[in-house]
């Protein structure tokens, strides 16, 4: 987990260096500040450096050289007080979003753990694994209580959930569109008709979900409103990728509360997968 997030941070830091000269949006600049900060912080933590480089002095020197450049860039960016205040607002919003996402993930996990049929299925009735899930669920419940008792955070969560669901709707729509476009489908599957049949079967299920969503006028109106505000991150056609960029950015924020929050949820979910 740690290692993975750091690899991500290094990759992103490299791409930051490569794109550093482009005129960027405020949001992009804030993300850059976050990434640069992560890199500088990493370079100053010798324990962590040793850990991720496996004590390779060459690699350490490389990272430190990058961090030195990053530090200069950071000073320049942070001298812009307008930008710094704008970033504080964006960060606060992202932290709330992360808190909500964590709430949702923990709720799903606790619900799953309370369903003995689902747990038995997932673990193939292995008592050791079941015990592990119950132990995790107990921790998850405690964490969930903390999160749900924060009324400031929870006030934001219905909107975040709506936003998530709008993204799901878009993803379903995209998938269905592909499945309905024979030209595209042929291209994607290299004409493998078995694969095409699989995709079409899945698309048929997705279409059912999609119909339920688009049939709800309140729901559709809420999505349209969100898009108008540009908060879905998907006014361009790639809502999914901008969302994952955001997640990567939160991973990067290192010691930020958002990170701790998110990582707990991710660890819980990874724990489930690793069973
Ligand atoms: C970045 O932009 C500045 C001014 O716009 C230019 O002087 C500089 O050469 C550019 N650096 C790179 C690496 O492209
Ligand atoms: C440095 O990294 C180690 C290992 O990842 C971590 O336990 C420690 O808290 C970090 N120290 C600081 C000052 O961030
Ligand atoms: C250390 O890292 C450098 C640069 O990434 C690499 O070329 C070298 O093979 C590594 N050395 C060891 C002992 O792994
Ligand atoms: C400071 O940042 C703001 C917001 O990104 C930007 O509009 C402005 O041009 C920047 N000012 C300077 C001097 O770079
Ligand atoms: C409640 O959540 C908000 C928004 O994420 C956060 O800023 C605040 O620190 C939290 N309060 C407590 C007591 O954890
Ligand atoms: C429990 O899980 C099973 C299998 O996944 C599912 O069919 C059932 O609806 C779930 N029960 C509840 C109460 O959610
Ligand atoms: C049950 O799960 C544990 C831990 O994952 C594993 O070590 C063990 O071999 C499993 N037992 C059976 C009977 O599969
Ligand atoms: C189907 O996909 C092809 C290839 O990607 C594209 O050129 C075409 O416009 C699509 N057709 C429709 C009706 O969307
Ligand atoms: C076609 O797709 C199916 C299902 O994804 C796969 O099992 C099969 O190997 C593929 N056939 C060829 C010829 O690639
Ligand atoms: C329609 O969507 C709204 C907003 O997301 C939701 O509150 C409501 O429960 C949905 N109605 C139905 C029948 O699913």
């Amino acid at each position: 987990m740690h290692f993975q997030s750091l690899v991500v941070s290094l990759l992103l830091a490299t791409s930051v260096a490569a794109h550093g000269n482009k005129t960027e949006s405020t949001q992009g600049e804030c993300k850059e500040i976050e990434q640069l900060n992560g890199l500088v912080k990493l370079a100053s933590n010798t324990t962590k450096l040793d850990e991720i480089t496996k004590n390779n002095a060459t690699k350490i020197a490389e990272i430190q050289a990058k961090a030195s450049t990053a530090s200069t860039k950071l000073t320049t960016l942070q001298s812009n007080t307008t930008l710094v205040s704008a970033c504080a607002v964006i960060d606060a919003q992202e932290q709330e979003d992360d808190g909500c996402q964590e709430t949702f993930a923990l709720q799903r996990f606790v619900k799953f753990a309370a369903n003995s049929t689902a747990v038995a299925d997932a673990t193939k009735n292995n008592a050791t694994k079941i015990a592990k899930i119950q132990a995790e669920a107990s921790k998850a419940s405690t964490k969930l209580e903390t999160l749900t008792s924060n009324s400031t955070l929870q006030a934001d969560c219905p909107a975040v959930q709506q936003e998530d669901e709008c993204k799901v709707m878009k993803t379903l729509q995209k998938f269905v569109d592909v499945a309905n476009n024979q030209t595209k489908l042929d291209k994607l599957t290299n004409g493998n008709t078995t694969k095409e049949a699989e995709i079409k079967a899945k698309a048929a299920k997705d279409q059912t979900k999609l119909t339920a969503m688009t049939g709800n006028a309140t729901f559709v109106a809420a999505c349209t409103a969100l898009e108008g505000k540009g908060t879905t991150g998907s006014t361009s056609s790639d809502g999914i990728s901008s969302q994952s960029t955001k997640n990567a950015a939160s991973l990067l924020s290192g010691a930020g509360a958002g990170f701790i929050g998110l990582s707990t949820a991710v660890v819980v979910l990874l724990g489930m997968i690793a069973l």
Side-chain angles (χ1 to χ4, degrees):
M1 176 63 206
H2 257 306
F3 181 67
Q4 252 184 340
S5 66
L6 286 163
V7 168
V8 170
S9 87
L10 287 178
L11 287 176
L12 284 176
T14 311
S15 78
V16 164
H19 298 112
N21 230 10
K22 274 194 190 154
T23 31
E24 283 171 297
S25 66
T26 302
Q27 201 156 20
E29 283 185 314
C30 296
K31 202 184 293 165
E32 188 173 5
I33 288 178
E34 215 178 327
Q35 290 165 354
L36 295 170
N37 252 327
L39 183 58
V40 169
K41 205 159 155 189
L42 165 65
S44 70
N45 185 335
T46 49
T47 317
K48 201 171 242 173
L49 275 179
D50 286 346
E51 216 172 86
I52 65 156
T53 62
K54 299 205 172 72
N55 287 312
N56 181 327
T58 314
K59 271 190 191 147
I60 291 177
E62 276 169 17
I63 292 172
Q64 282 172 338
K66 262 193 189 149
S68 167
T69 313
S71 187
T72 311
K73 184 95 207 268
L74 201 53
T75 308
T76 311
L77 285 169
Q78 283 177 331
S79 68
N80 183 337
T81 49
T82 313
L83 179 62
V84 170
S85 343
C87 291
V89 173
I90 291 173
D91 282 353
Q93 184 59 50
E94 286 192 346
Q95 256 183 41
E96 287 213 349
D97 282 5
D98 287 350
C100 293
Q101 297 297 357
E102 188 183 17
T103 305
F104 303 152
L106 291 172
Q107 279 167 343
R108 277 195 294 269
F109 181 67
V110 167
K111 189 172 167 207
F112 158 76
N115 182 336
S116 51
T117 316
V119 171
D121 281 353
T123 58
K124 297 197 172 74
N125 243 331
N126 179 321
T128 314
K129 286 179 181 171
I130 292 175
K132 210 164 125 191
I133 288 177
Q134 298 315 341
E136 287 298 332
S138 163
K139 281 192 243 167
S141 297
T142 310
K143 181 81 220 238
L144 199 50
E145 262 168 44
T146 313
L147 288 169
T148 50
S149 69
N150 184 334
S151 52
T152 315
L153 174 66
Q154 293 309 317
D156 198 33
C157 289
V160 173
Q161 186 174 6
Q162 179 71 50
E163 209 175 308
D164 282 356
E165 285 170 1
C166 296
K167 274 179 196 144
V168 168
M169 180 173 73
K170 282 200 160 207
T171 309
L172 293 174
Q173 185 67 62
K174 261 188 211 166
F175 189 77
V176 168
D177 285 349
V178 170
N180 285 336
N181 184 332
Q182 195 58 45
T183 318
K184 201 170 243 170
L185 202 52
D186 285 342
K187 216 157 111 187
L188 274 172
T189 60
N190 288 319
N192 180 333
T193 50
T194 314
K195 197 160 206 145
E196 284 187 9
E198 281 170 7
I199 291 176
K200 282 180 174 164
K202 178 160 189 320
K205 280 191 197 155
D206 283 359
Q207 181 63 63
T208 308
K209 287 187 214 156
L210 196 53
T211 306
M213 284 175 152
T214 51
N216 182 338
T218 317
F219 183 85
V220 172
C223 290
T224 310
L226 277 171
E227 217 161 281
K229 281 203 305 186
T231 46
T232 52
S234 48
T235 28
S236 63
S237 61
D238 64 344
I240 308 154
S241 80
S242 72
Q243 172 65 15
S244 50
T245 316
K246 202 192 99 184
N247 287 345
S250 338
L251 280 176
L252 275 182
S253 66
F259 175 76
I260 293 163
L262 206 72
S263 74
T264 315
V266 171
V267 166
V268 168
L269 296 175
L270 283 181
M272 280 176 64
I273 292 159
L275 281 166

